[in-house]
Amino acid sequence: MRGVIFDGERPRFVDDLEVRDPGAGEVLVAVAAAGLCHSDLAVVDGTIPHPLPVVLGHEGAGVVEAVGPGVAHVSPGDHVALSTLASCGACADCDRGRPAMCRAAFGRPGRPFRRNGEKLFHFAATSVFAERTVVKAVQAVRIPDDVPLVPAALLGCGVLTGVGAVLNRARVGQGESVLVIGAGGVGLNVLQGARIAGAAPIVAVDANPAKEKTARLLGATHFVHASAGRDVHASAGRDVLAAVREVLPAGADHAFECVGDVRLVRQAVDLLGRHGQAVLLGVPPLGAEASFPVSSLYLDKSILGCRYGSSRPQHDIALYARLYREGRLMLDELVGRIRPVEEFAQAMDDMNNHAVARGVLSFDR
């Protein structure tokens, strides 16, 4: 079967992958579509250390082909969106409704794939850059058949992370102000999460002015251009801090850093208002450190980490699918370009060149 692997040299398309049958508590899914996320590229550039060789991809949707013993909530033929949380359901964090913190799901990738007799690792317990993948039953979330599988693929990472950060972690309230630094795949979903929450104003900051149209469509009431060709604080000849403060003179109630740049972490903290909170969603290189004046936090300000939107996928994906059907959550607008999986290299170039909001690989199902 077709797929995309990374063996330490370069990611590449192959057509001779094999995947084992599902075991107890597992589901075999025929992948229809998979979103291309920066986390996949972070494995390639070493930002995210991972054992190799690995089948890439972690944001996808498809159709259940088979289920193992003990699986009752999905059946062959069901449409599912996949989450990366292979949570155990029994540890203290799972018991508290925090599956994103499940210790049993951290750093234990399986090896359900084979190629030329060699076992290949799962990435993020999903590996959706393959025609078929095996996941734990808890990762397969049934969605209505009338939710198209291409936009549904985005539910499992970018939407869960961005919208979930707003609704679950920050718990943004109506009328509270939101600042989003970085209008990429996650940042755009933070914007629409803020819109769904009733926030106002909602300010997006990005180095690419071409992103303004989509940012405003999804929820931004204001857009500040941080020029990529100038210092990180430059904004069309003005300081970004000053430009944001023109809109938010008292500071932001919530600032979301969605790039993974420690300079922007500092910027998010500097732009908080009293009792404001900065939520860190971007992934900087391992070991990166950010600095800020400790005294700046004494006005009840907070800095929050957030993994995977603090989500409960079985609940949240079903909720977001319903919001999509009601027209309140935008998914089609996030899909920038659909390419067959054979064109993975071109899809990677699209992402690196910031040519699309979210590139999607298709398996033509």
Side-chain angles (χ1 to χ4, degrees), residues 335-352:
V335 178
R337 181 174 296 164
I338 304 170
R339 291 185 180 273
V341 66
E342 290 85 351
E343 295 182 8
F344 170 77
Q346 294 94 319
M348 190 165 61
D349 287 341
D350 291 340
M351 173 174 284
N352 287 330

Side-chain angles (χ1 to χ4, degrees), residues 32 56 75 82 90 103 126 134 151 191 201 203 336:
L56 295 173
S75 303
L82 301 180
R103 296 178 186 274
T126 44
V134 170
L191 289 171
V203 183

Side-chain angles (χ1 to χ4, degrees), residues 38-321:
H38 280 286
S39 295
D40 300 303
L41 304 188
V43 174
V44 176
D45 66 22
T47 301
I48 298 178
H50 198 281
L52 304 173
V54 60
V55 179
L56 295 173
H58 66 286
E59 183 182 79
V63 181
V64 175
E65 278 203 351
V67 300
V71 178
H73 76 289
V74 292
S75 303
D78 286 346
H79 288 197
V80 293
L82 301 180
S83 92
T84 67
L85 294 184
S87 49
C88 71
C91 69
D93 284 301
C94 285
D95 190 53
R96 293 170 183 158
R98 303 188 306 211
M101 295 296 107
C102 176
R103 296 178 186 274
F106 277 89
R108 301 178 184 178
R111 293 195 291 176
F113 301 97
R114 283 184 177 272
R115 180 171 183 261
N116 297 327
E118 180 183 20
K119 290 185 176 182
L120 287 78
F121 286 96
H122 250 155
F123 174 55
T126 44
S127 293
V128 290
F129 291 173
E131 281 191 86
R132 291 171 181 80
T133 189
V134 170
V135 299
K136 290 184 67 172
V138 71
Q139 297 175 252
V141 184
R142 186 176 179 179
I143 58 174
D145 290 352
D146 62 356
V147 176
L149 290 171
V150 167
L154 307 186
L155 289 170
C157 180
V159 175
L160 272 182
T161 300
V163 178
V166 174
L167 302 184
N168 300 329
R169 186 64 168 132
R171 298 184 182 274
V172 173
Q174 287 194 352
E176 294 180 341
S177 60
V178 167
L179 169 67
V180 181
I181 301 175
V186 171
L188 289 173
N189 282 294
V190 173
L191 289 171
Q192 67 172 332
R195 171 180 51 78
I196 291 168
I202 302 170
V203 183
V205 178
D206 199 276
N208 185 353
K211 293 182 179 180
E212 179 174 0
K213 180 179 179 181
T214 304
R216 287 185 179 273
L217 175 67
L218 292 178
T221 59
H222 299 76
F223 186 90
V224 174
H225 171 213
S227 174
R230 305 167 67 96
D231 179 81
V232 71
H233 294 298
S235 170
R238 296 180 300 161
D239 182 272
V240 166
L241 298 177
V244 172
R245 284 173 177 150
E246 285 184 13
V247 184
L248 303 173
D253 294 317
H254 308 274
F256 296 83
E257 198 284 334
C258 305
V259 179
D261 186 319
V262 295
R263 297 169 299 176
L264 301 182
V265 170
R266 170 62 183 272
Q267 191 176 88
V269 174
D270 288 346
L271 285 166
L272 290 177
R274 297 186 179 195
H275 203 69
Q277 53 186 15
V279 182
L280 310 187
L281 297 176
V283 182
L286 191 66
E289 297 183 356
S291 63
F292 53 88
V294 175
S295 60
S296 68
L297 301 184
Y298 290 156
L299 294 174
D300 278 2
K301 299 179 183 180
S302 305
I303 300 175
L304 306 179
C306 182
R307 180 172 189 259
Y308 205 48
S310 301
S311 61
R312 296 175 293 151
Q314 287 290 335
H315 172 275
D316 291 353
I317 288 178
L319 169 63
Y320 300 158

